[in-house]
Structure formats: structure tokens, C-alpha cells
Amino acid sequence: IEQLLGALGELHRQSIVHRDVKLENILMSHDGVIKLGDLGLVKLCDAQKITRTGVLLGTAQYMPPEYIRYNRYEPAGDVYAVGIALYEMLTGKRRLAGLTGVEAIQQLFKTDFEIPREPLRGVPEKYLRILDVALSSNPKKRYKNADEMLRAFKGLLDSNGSPELQSSPG
């Protein structure tokens, strides 16, 4: 996840969103280096819309709520997709497996984008807090970009995105 967030962070620092982060686009080389593939849907954050209103590009199972609802996509949307990928890695199960894109979107609306917690039983609390922030249905409560989520993984931020207080010796 750290390598994935590092690659995605580079895009975000260039004001680019990936828009199709999913397990199939997370590649591992023979020497264990993680690469983020399929840059076919990347977009400059401030670029004019080139797709028609109502056209969603990407994989429905990983789309953030604000993209499905309002056709808005920012770096926090990529963070949401990383959260879904992490959720799937931790649970060993695909979220919305077997559903077509339209069926997945219908299911997401039906469940109000809720992420089941039951499959995460036994996952350390630190990771659950990171997942809670990454998978918030409200993008303002999510990590703003990949770098912020990476800092949380490295323990530099608390789960609310604020610097953790370091206790001083003595």
C-alpha cells in the first residue's frame, strides 16, 4: 500500500487523478516493486470536462460516492479507490463481486455506500481507522490525497488527518 500510495501521490502532486485505481491496476514486478498501471483515464484536476455529463469512466465497484452522485472526481476519489482495494486485500473478498457496473451502482445507492465491517474482524484497529477515513462517503472527511493517506500509514497523522501528538520524554 505504501508503494501504491507513493506512485499515486506523484500523480496527485502533479494535479492529476488516476480515476481507475483497482486491484487489476496494481502491478507487482518480479522483484516485488509495486507499479500503478492503466493510466488511460488520468485527468488533470482542473481540466475542462471532456466527457459528457452523466458519463462515468472507470470501474463502478471502486468509484467514490461523489463521482457517482455528482460526477466530481478529485484526489480524494483515488484515495477512496485505494481504500476499497485495501479492504479487498484485507478481507480476501471482492466487494460487489459478480455485479455488472450498473448493478454495482444500484447496490451502492441501495446501501448508501456503506462498507460492511464484519469481514474486517481481526484487522488491527490502526488499519480500521485508516480505512474509516479513506472510505468515508463524505470526501471532506477523507484523506485529501495519497500523500496524506501515506503519512497516516507511516504514523505521522492520526485517523482524522491531524498531526499526532508526540509525547515528550520525562
Side-chain angles (χ1 to χ4, degrees):
I1 289 296
E2 287 185 17
Q3 289 182 45
L4 170 63
L5 289 169
L8 194 56
E10 185 57 38
L11 289 176
H12 291 170
R13 286 188 295 279
Q14 303 299 321
S15 296
I16 298 171
V17 288
H18 187 280
R19 299 195 303 174
D20 201 21
V21 175
K22 60 183 177 180
L23 289 179
E24 290 82 359
N25 292 337
I26 303 168
L27 309 171
M28 184 183 299
S29 67
H30 68 282
D31 59 352
V33 175
I34 299 298
K35 308 271 185 183
L36 179 58
D38 192 356
L39 302 176
L41 296 179
V42 297
K43 177 184 170 198
L44 284 170
C45 292
D46 296 329
Q48 291 180 328
K49 285 190 174 191
I50 56 173
T51 45
R52 294 177 311 199
T53 302
V55 174
L56 299 176
L57 300 174
T59 305
Q61 289 81 347
Y62 293 84
M63 288 179 182
E66 66 275 13
Y67 185 52
I68 293 172
R69 288 181 176 144
Y70 311 114
N71 204 17
R72 282 197 325 251
Y73 205 104
E74 296 176 348
D78 284 341
V79 166
Y80 182 87
V82 170
I84 295 296
L86 178 59
Y87 177 89
E88 291 179 342
M89 286 186 257
L90 289 170
T91 63
K93 296 180 181 157
R94 291 296 191 127
R95 176 178 177 242
L96 307 173
L99 300 180
T100 66
V102 171
E103 292 168 340
I105 288 172
Q106 289 170 340
Q107 180 66 20
L108 291 169
F109 275 117
K110 183 175 162 185
T111 61
D112 199 29
F113 297 88
E114 190 164 318
I115 307 293
R117 295 287 294 222
E118 178 64 24
L120 294 168
R121 221 174 358 168
V123 173
E125 186 62 33
K126 172 185 177 175
Y127 299 109
L128 293 177
R129 286 192 311 268
I130 289 170
L131 271 176
D132 284 344
V133 176
L135 295 175
S136 174
S137 61
N138 180 346
K140 292 181 193 247
K141 293 183 179 180
R142 235 179 270 145
Y143 300 110
K144 291 174 185 52
N145 54 48
D147 287 338
E148 199 171 279
M149 186 174 179
L150 180 58
R151 285 192 300 273
F153 260 99
K154 291 184 173 183
L156 300 176
L157 295 179
D158 68 17
S159 62
N160 296 319
S162 303
E164 285 189 320
L165 298 176
Q166 301 292 325
S167 58
S168 57

